[in-house]
Amino acid sequence: MAERVVVAGPASEDLGKSIAAKLGLGLLKTEFKVFPDGESKFTSEEKVSGKTVFVVQSTYPPVDQHLFQLLMMSHQLSQEGAKIVAVVPYLAYARQDKEFLPGEGVTLGIVAHLMRSAGVRRLVTVDIHSAEGMSLFSIPVYSVSAIPTLVGYAKENLRLGDAAVISPDFGASKRTEAFAALFGAKYFQLSKTRDRKTGEVSVKETSLDVKGKDVVILDDIISTGGTVKAAAEKVLAQGASSAVAVCTHGLFVGGAVSKLRQAGVGTIVGTNTVQGEFSVVDISEALASHLKTLEE
Ligand code: R5P
């Protein structure tokens, strides 16, 4: 088997180090500079020819900068003769996986094309937004589930009484069902719609058995917080005791946190696919276990 090493990219330094430690692999010596005009420069300080390199770099905001850094590292190291496995815990543009309105670009397809052109041989991500998105890639793509890790965290750290788990929309329903089954709680699905032009979210009125319950609202991504806010307002209006927001990728842009607080959300939980205040769940073990199973 070829020697394996890890590069901890600038967006995922801690996660990359933790994955390397769990796999017993070395960290490649590299340098990243960001110049005052915003350009990045990547230098690899070791020979990588013939090695398999796990390039760990998430693509949370600033999305395009982090994505371009991933492409730069992959291109340089593959040019030097390494086999590149891109480990992209949060895959940006995964929500642009089809043409929702006429003329819209399927941007995930461009990302797939760029990664391949930069020399990426395989992509490993966490809770990809949709299975359809995976089919836009012409390299193998693996989506590692964060659900068992999130459930482990919730069991140990969230003091929930009589709990229920809610999926804000159909897209999140399978993940939520799995979470509820592992957690041992009832599961409900709301019916969210989003205005494709304004981005405004609304949740259809449904009668839910949440009176007196601690409700976990689970989503893959919290971005502006609009989806979880609408779900929290709905369950609290129907008598839920509390609303907790749990997600894999917490981007929290555009005043999301104050929106969630105003809607009555108490605890907010995310994983370290994105670095930030609410990234309390460590996903490195799940990623490392998956990387161990990858064949050459
Ligand atoms: C959409 O289908 C996703 O699963 C999330 O529900 C969505 O991206 C969350 O975005 P926001 O926090 O801006 O409502």
Side-chain angles (χ1 to χ4, degrees):
M1 196 200 275
E3 192 187 329
R4 295 175 164 200
V5 281
V6 174
V7 174
S12 300
E13 275 191 35
D14 293 344
L15 188 59
K17 284 180 189 159
S18 174
I19 289 172
K22 289 197 163 76
L23 292 173
L25 298 179
L27 276 171
L28 199 73
K29 280 202 195 101
T30 58
E31 196 196 15
F32 241 107
K33 268 191 195 158
V34 179
F35 293 102
D37 61 359
E39 281 185 3
S40 301
K41 182 177 166 192
F42 172 69
T43 311
S44 160
E45 295 174 354
E46 284 177 61
K47 295 229 175 320
V48 289
S49 181
K51 294 183 186 176
T52 296
V53 182
F54 295 133
V55 178
V56 186
Q57 168 83 346
S58 204
T59 51
Y60 56 84
V63 166
D64 292 342
Q65 183 178 30
H66 286 155
L67 177 61
F68 200 68
Q69 289 172 337
L70 168 73
L71 297 171
M72 289 167 78
M73 291 185 277
S74 303
H75 183 259
Q76 179 61 26
L77 297 168
S78 74
Q79 290 286 89
E80 289 178 19
K83 266 190 203 162
I84 307 299
V85 177
V87 182
V88 187
Y90 167 65
L91 180 64
Y93 293 107
R95 287 175 290 176
Q96 295 186 41
D97 56 357
K98 54 171 130 0
E99 185 182 358
F100 293 97
L101 291 177
E104 275 182 1
V106 183
T107 314
L108 187 60
I110 306 171
V111 172
H113 178 71
L114 290 173
M115 279 193 200
R116 194 194 161 111
S117 308
V120 174
R121 297 265 194 107
R122 290 165 195 216
L123 168 65
V124 178
T125 184
V126 179
D127 283 350
I128 193 166
H129 177 67
S130 72
E132 291 102 305
M134 294 166 92
S135 65
L136 296 169
F137 287 78
S138 54
I139 52 170
V141 180
Y142 308 87
S143 177
V144 174
S145 174
I147 296 300
T149 316
L150 284 169
V151 170
Y153 179 88
K155 281 187 174 166
E156 273 178 35
N157 299 279
L158 303 180
R159 289 165 191 231
L160 302 179
D162 185 10
V165 189
I166 295 271
S167 150
D169 55 27
F170 178 70
S173 63
K174 282 287 160 229
R175 271 186 278 264
T176 311
E177 208 176 337
F179 186 108
L182 288 173
F183 193 75
K186 270 197 173 172
Y187 148 74
F188 300 100
Q189 188 195 315
L190 294 176
S191 188
K192 171 189 99 175
T193 49
R194 189 187 288 276
D195 185 307
R196 289 275 159 211
K197 289 228 162 82
T198 63
E200 206 174 308
V201 168
S202 56
V203 171
K204 222 168 60 204
E205 190 65 53
T206 336
S207 173
L208 303 163
D209 176 21
V210 291
K211 204 164 190 325
K213 292 192 194 293
D214 293 321
V215 176
V216 174
I217 301 163
L218 184 81
D219 212 345
D220 58 336
I221 303 166
I222 298 180
S223 181
T224 66
T227 302
V228 172
K229 170 185 178 276
E233 284 168 347
K234 188 90 1 182
V235 297
L236 291 169
Q238 294 197 19
S241 298
S242 70
V244 174
V246 176
C247 67
T248 305
H249 314 292
L251 305 175
F252 304 111
V253 294
V257 175
S258 51
K259 225 181 269 174
L260 297 185
R261 296 294 184 219
Q262 275 164 21
V265 173
T267 309
I268 303 173
V269 172
T271 79
N272 58 352
T273 60
V274 176
Q275 288 184 12
E277 186 188 344
F278 301 104
S279 312
V280 291
V281 179
D282 180 14
I283 204 69
S284 61
E285 183 62 50
L287 276 169
S289 303
H290 178 80
L291 295 176
K292 257 185 221 159
T293 68
L294 282 189
E295 306 268 321
E296 278 305 296

